[in-house]
């Protein structure tokens, strides 16, 4: 099988690895990839060799985490799949692979386009920005950072009943935010940003800020624009690849005096009302949660099937997997017109 391996900063290769598909363990699933998607912010940080993230593997390492493929086989203990089922996983960019059955393997319903489905887990992460912050319909939500993750949060905000605002540093991205359903968009360096947000929200303010950008100035903007006693959901890797701070990230006027909550969008969401049914066929740590990954990802796929979510509208580039290094060099140069990137794995 073919797999994209990063041997060091900006040193990406497609390697040939052996894959034994004739001796599957009882709980293993064999999947062939049709397409995979690039996650610009995280993948760029890996590619350019930004400082290490806790838990990140040493070089050489695989890259990517959005994979759409077709089941080719499975072990005797696997009961929920058939050969030919379309699935999404969080596997790296690779032509095929064998993994153990887990909630992160999600079956894709008929009628959902592959270029929508491949973003399932990414959009599921966008949805967690709302769920973990206890979003309520009707709230004003500002999304700071308009990559695929941020634009997914905007699209979901419209579905969830938010009055959603896009804030970015590129006119191209602002236009995309409007296409995805933002009620208003603003440049992050707009000197009148606070005044405009106040006017837009009838002086109520921004209840929830979803921060998907890594730079510290984006963090400061998020703390500045959220209302008193509001919340900031952080799904970015703050400060990754950035110069040292030139301000106090928890200054009294930005944090304590405003009484805000800063929420790390990692792990399972809190659950005020635990599920009545605690039985589960999976051994995942959070499998008993009502919105475990398979159930929450399934909900995202149902929205795609209904035509209410269409992330493929954000696809700006398609490459054969042999051109992957070219795509990574483009995100390294921070080309703003590049957003949704699909790698095709057919020979």
């Amino acid at each position: 099988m073919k797999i994209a391996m990063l041997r060091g900063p900006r040193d990406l290769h497609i390697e040939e690895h052996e894959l034994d598909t004739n001796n599957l363990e009882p709980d293993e699933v064999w999947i062939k990839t049709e397409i995979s998607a690039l996650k610009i912010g995280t993948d760029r940080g890996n590619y350019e060799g930004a400082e290490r993230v806790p838990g990140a593997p040493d070089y050489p390492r695989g890259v990517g985490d959005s994979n759409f493929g077709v089941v080719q086989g499975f072990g005797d203990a696997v009961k929920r799949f058939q050969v030919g089922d379309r699935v999404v996983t969080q596997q790296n960019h690779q032509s095929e692979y064998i993994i153990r059955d887990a909630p992160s393997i999600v079956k894709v319903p008929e009628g959902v386009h592959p270029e929508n489905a491949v973003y399932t887990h990414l959009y599921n992460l966008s949805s967690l920005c709302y769920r973990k912050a206890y979003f309520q319909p009707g709230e004003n939500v500002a999304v700071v950072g308009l990559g695929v993750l941020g634009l997914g949060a905007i699209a979901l905000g419209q579905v969830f009943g938010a009055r959603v605002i896009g804030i970015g540093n590129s006119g191209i991205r602002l236009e995309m935010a409007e296409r995805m359903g933002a009620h208003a968009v603003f440049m992050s360096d707009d000197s009148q940003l606070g005044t405009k947000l106040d006017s837009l929200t009838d002086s109520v303010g921004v209840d929830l800020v979803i921060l998907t950008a890594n730079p510290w100035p984006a963090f400061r903007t998020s703390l500045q624009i959220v209302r008193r006693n509001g919340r900031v959901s952080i799904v970015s890797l703050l400060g990754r690849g950035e110069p040292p701070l030139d301000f106090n990230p928890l200054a009294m006027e930005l944090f304590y005096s405003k009484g805000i909550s800063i929420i790390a969008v990692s792990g399972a969401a809190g659950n005020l009302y635990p599920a009545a049914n605690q039985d589960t066929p999976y051994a995942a740590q959070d499998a008993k949660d009502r919105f475990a990954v398979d159930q929450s990802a399934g909900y995202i796929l149902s929205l795609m099937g209904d035509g209410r979510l269409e992330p493929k509208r954000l696809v700006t580039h398609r490459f054969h997997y042999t051109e992957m290094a070219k795509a990574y060099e483009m995100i390294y140069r921070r080309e703003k017109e590049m957003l949704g990137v699909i790698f095709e794995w057919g020979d």
Side-chain angles (χ1 to χ4, degrees), residues 51-324:
E51 79 277 8
R52 290 287 305 279
V53 175
D58 291 326
Y59 297 114
R61 62 173 181 252
V63 291
D65 63 2
S66 300
N67 191 295
F68 172 92
V70 177
V71 173
Q72 305 296 308
F74 43 84
D76 294 339
V78 177
K79 305 300 181 184
R80 63 193 185 105
F81 297 116
Q82 298 294 324
V83 171
D85 282 349
R86 306 185 310 157
V87 294
V88 287
T89 72
Q90 294 175 290
Q91 292 303 113
N92 297 149
H93 299 308
Q94 54 195 310
S95 61
E96 57 184 316
Y97 50 93
I98 295 170
I99 54 175
R100 297 193 181 280
D101 189 12
S104 59
I105 311 175
V106 183
K107 186 175 177 179
V108 177
E110 291 298 323
V112 177
H113 194 283
E115 290 186 1
N116 285 327
V118 74
Y119 289 107
T120 297
H121 285 295
L122 192 58
Y123 268 46
N124 194 30
L125 182 57
S126 297
S127 75
L128 186 58
C129 296
Y130 289 89
R131 186 174 295 118
K132 197 162 186 180
Y134 291 104
F135 165 79
Q136 299 183 63
E139 287 190 312
N140 299 316
V141 177
V143 179
V144 178
L146 300 177
V148 174
L149 187 60
L151 291 166
I154 286 175
L156 283 163
Q158 185 183 38
V159 173
F160 293 164
R163 186 170 180 81
V164 63
I165 304 153
I167 299 175
N169 60 6
S170 160
I172 294 173
R173 298 293 176 83
L174 295 188
E175 291 176 7
M176 291 181 175
E178 288 181 318
R179 287 171 52 195
M180 298 306 287
H183 291 82
V185 295
F186 301 107
M187 292 292 289
S188 57
D189 60 357
D190 188 332
S191 61
Q192 300 298 311
L193 180 59
T195 301
K196 291 178 180 179
L197 290 173
D198 191 57
S199 175
L200 181 69
T201 63
D202 295 325
S203 299
V204 171
V206 175
D207 302 290
L208 170 63
V209 177
I210 294 175
L211 175 59
T212 72
N214 295 340
W216 286 113
F219 173 79
R220 178 161 51 189
T221 295
S222 300
L223 269 58
Q224 288 171 338
I225 65 175
V226 71
R227 67 165 172 82
R228 290 178 61 84
N229 299 310
R231 297 98 74 207
V232 179
S233 281
I234 300 178
V235 71
S236 57
L237 302 177
L238 278 173
R240 188 180 192 194
E242 295 291 307
L245 280 175
D246 60 359
F247 72 100
N248 178 359
L250 296 177
M252 182 174 290
E253 67 273 14
L254 294 177
F255 177 60
Y256 183 80
S257 295
K258 295 181 74 172
I260 68 174
S261 297
I262 299 176
I263 302 157
V265 183
S266 176
N271 197 338
L272 286 174
Y273 307 102
N277 181 9
Q278 299 297 310
D279 297 329
T280 174
Y282 305 118
Q285 182 178 357
D286 64 344
K288 293 181 180 180
D289 178 53
R290 166 64 179 83
F291 286 102
V293 62
D294 54 339
Q295 297 180 62
S296 56
Y299 171 63
I300 297 298
L301 281 162
S302 74
L303 293 175
M304 294 176 182
D306 292 342
R308 302 177 70 188
L309 283 182
E310 196 175 6
K312 72 183 180 70
R313 294 166 59 194
L314 300 176
V315 174
T316 57
H317 294 73
R318 295 173 178 84
F319 296 91
H320 192 256
Y321 73 88
T322 54
E323 299 180 291
M324 192 175 295

